[in-house]
Amino acid sequence: MQREALRHDRILRVLDRLLYDKDFRTAFAEDGPAGARVALDEDLLDAFDRVDVHELALVGRNIRSEVVSGGTGTGPGLKGSFPRTLDALREGRHAPVNDVAEAFIASAAFQEFRDVPFSPRGRGRTLPECFHRFMAARPADLDPSGELEPLVHHEAAAAVTRAVATGAHATFDVGLRDMTFHGDVLCGFREYAEAPAAWQLKPTMFLAGAGRCVIGPARRPLFDALTSLLDDRPDALTPSVRASLEDRLSSWGLR
């Protein structure tokens, strides 16, 4: 029984690669399951000898299309969430969006994404956060120096903030750098001091609650004061400052 369970797990891992790794899928289509580039264990060959490679290619293209352009589980997709990052990759790295998407889909970071709520694989992360993790790992063919990370983070943080405002946190975890929950509000702040001046990334605050979000330039003292209030630590604030911040949070719909 245990042996069959282990074999089943190995079959699922191969299926994952066939669906999400274009190079592996191409090798499978060209060489078959017994091909040297595929290198399946002998006891798995019979499980894959009747796979329709044309249908497999179609499914792969559909997955890429949803990742690029958006869909039910992917939200606005890479194009909607990362327009500036994709422009930088296309212009500076000569990497078209489909190539970026294929590299992302084949990565370990993409495996943390869940395209359906309440997946049997457990709670995952939103597509924007997974893409930031992918780019932060400095993919060799796209951004080996990590130069683009601040720009990717800014766009990812904005996308995650909007997703949480629409209720995504009910089914997805949030672990993006510089973001955490204070009370019921997701809060994030980053200076982006390391970003090139041409990108015009200012210190930015990201706040999201049920149905509301705030994204905009701010300074660290304001952010720290707001999070103190959200954490029910008002003693650190003077009464007038506390009242002003309470009014601000209320006007944003976060109180």
Side-chain angles (χ1 to χ4, degrees):
M1 183 68 71
Q2 184 178 7
R3 183 176 179 180
E4 279 302 309
L6 291 173
R7 180 174 182 271
H8 179 70
D9 287 344
R10 287 187 292 134
I11 288 173
L12 291 180
R13 286 197 293 271
V14 174
L15 283 173
D16 269 356
R17 290 194 67 191
L18 287 172
L19 289 173
Y20 300 124
D21 188 332
K22 182 183 178 182
D23 291 341
F24 185 74
R25 190 165 59 244
T26 299
F28 183 93
E30 293 177 353
D31 303 347
R37 290 186 295 167
V38 179
L40 293 188
D41 294 334
E42 188 172 349
D43 66 327
L44 299 186
L45 293 177
D46 63 330
F48 293 95
D49 61 359
R50 295 185 180 180
V51 171
D52 186 331
V53 294
H54 298 292
E55 184 68 21
L56 191 63
L58 177 61
V59 172
R61 286 195 297 271
N62 288 341
I63 292 172
R64 184 188 67 199
S65 177
E66 288 214 354
V67 168
V68 169
S69 301
T72 303
T74 55
L78 297 183
K79 280 187 175 180
S81 298
F82 297 94
R84 296 182 65 189
T85 298
L86 294 178
D87 283 347
L89 287 169
R90 184 181 63 253
E91 295 169 6
R93 277 67 172 179
H94 307 292
V97 62
N98 283 347
D99 289 356
V100 175
E102 292 288 6
F104 170 45
I105 292 167
S107 73
F110 186 78
Q111 293 299 311
E112 296 187 56
F113 169 62
R114 299 287 182 270
D115 56 355
V116 293
F118 309 111
S119 166
R121 296 170 64 186
R123 287 168 64 95
R125 304 187 185 279
T126 60
L127 189 78
E129 180 174 341
C130 290
F131 186 69
H132 173 262
R133 288 179 175 230
F134 165 65
M135 291 298 295
R138 302 186 176 191
D141 294 335
L142 297 176
D143 189 28
S145 68
E147 176 189 5
L148 293 177
E149 189 278 331
L151 179 59
V152 181
H153 181 276
H154 190 275
E155 293 191 305
V160 169
T161 298
R162 295 187 184 101
V164 169
T166 61
H169 186 56
T171 52
F172 294 93
D173 288 329
V174 177
L176 187 65
R177 170 185 168 179
D178 299 312
M179 303 191 84
T180 190
F181 278 88
H182 292 268
D184 295 328
V185 179
L186 177 68
C187 304
F189 180 87
R190 186 165 168 182
E191 295 278 358
Y192 299 108
E194 70 274 46
W199 291 351
Q200 297 183 330
L201 294 184
K202 299 178 180 180
T204 305
M205 177 173 67
F206 307 88
L207 304 174
R212 298 296 182 96
C213 68
V214 176
I215 302 170
R219 294 295 177 187
R220 171 64 72 175
L222 171 62
F223 177 76
D224 289 343
L226 286 169
T227 54
S228 293
L229 201 56
L230 291 167
D231 284 337
D232 292 325
R233 293 185 286 111
D235 294 344
L237 308 171
T238 66
S240 61
V241 169
R242 177 183 177 184
S244 174
L245 294 178
E246 285 283 11
D247 288 344
R248 188 173 298 197
L249 288 171
S250 295
S251 70
W252 290 336
L254 298 175
R255 269 302 203 207

